[in-house]
Amino acid sequence: MNSLLFLVLVIALYYFLTKNYKTSNYQHIRPGRKQQLQGALKDHEAGLLVALMAKVAKADGKVSELEAQLIGLTLTDIANTFEEATHIREELKAIYNREKETFENTLMIAKQYVQLSRSNYPKRLGLIEYLLNLAFIDGEFSAAERMITEDIARALEVCSQDFERLVARFQAFYAQKNTQKAMTLANAYALLGVSQSASFDEVKKRYRALVREHHPDVLMGQGAGQDIIDQATEKLQEINEAYELIKKHKGT
């Protein structure tokens, strides 16, 4: 069973999206302080991001359980950067539900996103990395998912070499995971630091705490070096695998 890999890359996605804006700053996600929404949310970076998430999640005709979990966490974290976070999250959810029903405006949304990040190529590259993570999260990268992420990357003016490099990295990672020995149940409980008699609610609480503790995007925001960020990402992959194994064992 595929584990919930790279979860941390989307819990606080907005850390990728926050630097060096000179115009229309109110249209950008701004972590670290609550912002008040000005204008329509669909035209804000948050709305555009969620719209592109919806296109990729539904590209193969279905939204898997893992994709749904990742999307839910992302909606919550983005909404928490706004005042009236609960209301904003509902609006973001509505955007997601609406945009997953059509692909006709995909390139238009991507081009609108470019206008908000014209001088920040790494920001757009980070968005593509996130979208690829979403596409790969269930362990499969379908032809439809490749087509739509490639189209979005082109519309975001991400060069093909960078796109292919990211795809190859995800493919190599999943290939390696498939050849590794499966984690034992005892190791999974030990890794999460809970006993086998713990309730699933206790396991889930501990899991979420560990995800926050080893969040590479948070470390990135704190100025941590790449080696530390890479170690945190690897650790979270193990945590996610352990959680999925325990979840299956408990029949939830």
Side-chain angles (χ1 to χ4, degrees), residues 1 185 200 242-252:
M1 178 179 178
L185 188 61
F200 184 66
Y243 176 71
E244 285 298 307
L245 188 60
I246 294 172
K247 183 178 178 182
K248 180 179 181 181
H249 173 245
K250 290 187 175 293
T252 59

Side-chain angles (χ1 to χ4, degrees), residues 180-193:
Q180 290 176 345
K181 183 179 179 180
M183 179 181 293
T184 68
L185 188 61
N187 287 341
Y189 279 102
L191 185 63
L192 293 191

Side-chain angles (χ1 to χ4, degrees), residues 101-156:
E101 299 302 322
T102 179
F103 297 100
E104 293 182 358
N105 60 345
T106 302
L107 300 185
M108 180 185 71
I109 292 171
K111 291 179 183 299
Q112 190 175 354
Y113 190 92
V114 170
Q115 297 306 310
L116 294 182
S117 58
R118 173 62 65 185
S119 62
N120 197 333
Y121 182 77
K123 174 190 180 73
R124 300 196 301 278
L125 190 62
L127 173 55
I128 286 298
E129 183 175 10
Y130 164 72
L131 294 177
L132 284 171
N133 175 62
L134 183 61
F136 271 94
I137 198 66
D138 58 1
E140 299 179 2
F141 188 47
S142 68
E145 288 171 327
R146 180 181 177 92
M147 182 181 299
I148 196 163
T149 53
E150 192 170 19
D151 286 347
I152 292 172
R154 190 178 299 112
L156 290 176

